[in-house]
Amino acid sequence: MSEKYPNWSREDWPWAKGSWGCHNVPRRNETVSLWYSGGFPIHSADFVFPKSKYEGLTISEMVRQHPKALELHMLHSNIYIFPHVIKHLDITQQQRRRLIRVVESYLTFDEINPSNPYLHSKTYESNYDGLNIEQIIKEDSQYLPYVIKHAKGRFMIDLDYLNDLVEKSTSPIVTSVLQECLEYVEEILEEQRCAEEAYESEIAYLREQEELRYWQNEGYREAFDGDPGAEWNID
């Protein structure tokens, strides 16, 4: 059953607007300018919410007191919490895992496959960078299915590799997680295939219309060929 979120409006977060922006943030022992999409950027664990429904609360307090509201506003791109902030929050391990899932579903990852079996975020350092699938499942069994589902193609596991892992798995928990990942990957691949077919059909239609217009114009020119009053015969 899906979770029920509290009622909300953008008036709850008048200072948070979903848009593209650029911010200097630490990444892999250096500071980089990172483009992100997700509203107001929160890049410090010391952040205190300004004028809003939750004015005066820290990120840790929001996670502890209003976790669903925080998650909801992140999913609606009102705010974005950078991954490195999570490790510095005063929250439980369970709360930390849940927040990591939501935050990292906005990242873009290299595909996990036999030649690249370890997680690697291309856009921003993940809390699980460098771990393989079984290690990630051990850290948080819900992470992979959640991020694959919500990243919408920005985090994929090779289908053949997934099937091979399912066949070789001896752990009921790992097998269950892998099968769930398999379902989401198949759904995303099917969506991508349908989108590609729709795009190719649209291109074919446009080319057909362009060719039709060309021959219609040629037929019109042929009908009036030799007519001194025709536009193209006028010097």
Side-chain angles (χ1 to χ4, degrees):
M1 181 181 297
S2 60
E3 293 188 69
K4 293 183 178 179
Y5 289 105
N7 293 328
W8 71 283
S9 71
R10 290 195 179 277
E11 295 304 316
D12 295 345
W13 311 74
W15 41 270
K17 299 179 180 179
S19 62
W20 283 95
C22 185
H23 203 83
N24 291 326
V25 295
R27 183 183 189 276
R28 305 183 193 280
N29 300 318
E30 61 177 341
T31 300
V32 299
S33 294
L34 175 70
W35 283 93
Y36 63 91
S37 177
F40 192 88
I42 297 176
H43 55 88
S44 170
D46 298 325
F47 177 84
V48 176
F49 285 87
K51 185 178 180 180
S52 66
K53 182 178 179 179
Y54 307 103
E55 181 176 0
L57 294 181
T58 65
I59 291 293
S60 296
E61 290 169 335
M62 275 296 298
V63 173
R64 293 196 300 265
Q65 299 175 29
H66 308 284
K68 292 182 181 179
L70 181 65
E71 182 174 337
L72 178 67
H73 285 283
M74 291 178 64
L75 293 174
H76 280 272
S77 297
N78 290 338
I79 61 173
Y80 182 74
I81 301 173
F82 288 105
H84 73 273
V85 172
I86 300 174
K87 65 184 67 175
H88 302 295
L89 299 179
D90 182 20
I91 54 179
T92 66
Q93 190 61 26
Q94 182 177 357
Q95 292 167 335
R96 195 180 313 279
R97 291 193 189 102
R98 176 170 180 154
L99 187 57
I100 287 173
R101 287 176 224 140
V102 181
V103 167
E104 298 198 359
S105 66
Y106 286 88
L107 302 182
T108 300
F109 298 83
D110 288 329
E111 180 187 70
I112 295 180
N113 53 49
S115 61
N116 181 43
Y118 302 103
L119 184 75
H120 179 261
S121 168
K122 296 193 290 187
T123 49
Y124 192 83
E125 189 169 10
S126 163
N127 285 271
Y128 300 130
D129 264 1
L131 301 185
N132 63 30
I133 288 178
E134 288 196 12
Q135 291 171 326
I136 295 171
I137 293 175
K138 185 176 180 181
E139 290 289 329
D140 179 9
S141 62
Q142 298 180 53
Y143 176 87
L144 290 172
Y146 183 96
V147 177
I148 290 173
K149 177 182 178 180
H150 290 85
K152 296 295 184 182
R154 286 177 285 104
F155 179 25
M156 294 290 281
I157 302 176
D158 179 76
L159 199 58
D160 292 334
Y161 184 52
L162 259 179
N163 278 309
D164 187 53
L165 290 177
V166 170
E167 291 178 3
K168 294 179 179 178
S169 175
T170 58
S171 165
I173 294 178
V174 172
T175 301
S176 176
V177 173
L178 291 174
Q179 289 175 332
E180 189 175 1
C181 291
L182 192 61
E183 292 177 5
Y184 288 135
V185 169
E186 288 176 335
E187 287 179 9
I188 292 170
L189 289 175
E190 178 63 18
E191 290 174 359
Q192 291 176 344
R193 184 187 66 79
C194 290
E196 289 174 1
E197 288 181 354
Y199 174 77
E200 290 174 359
S201 295
E202 179 68 16
I203 293 299
Y205 173 77
L206 293 175
R207 287 175 177 170
E208 183 180 296
Q209 292 300 305
E210 183 178 354
E211 185 175 358
L212 179 62
R213 286 192 297 270
Y214 172 79
W215 288 113
Q216 285 175 337
N217 290 335
E218 282 299 305
Y220 184 78
R221 287 173 180 271
E222 184 177 344
F224 288 92
D225 189 29
D227 183 352
E231 181 181 349
W232 52 83
N233 287 332
I234 298 176
D235 292 331

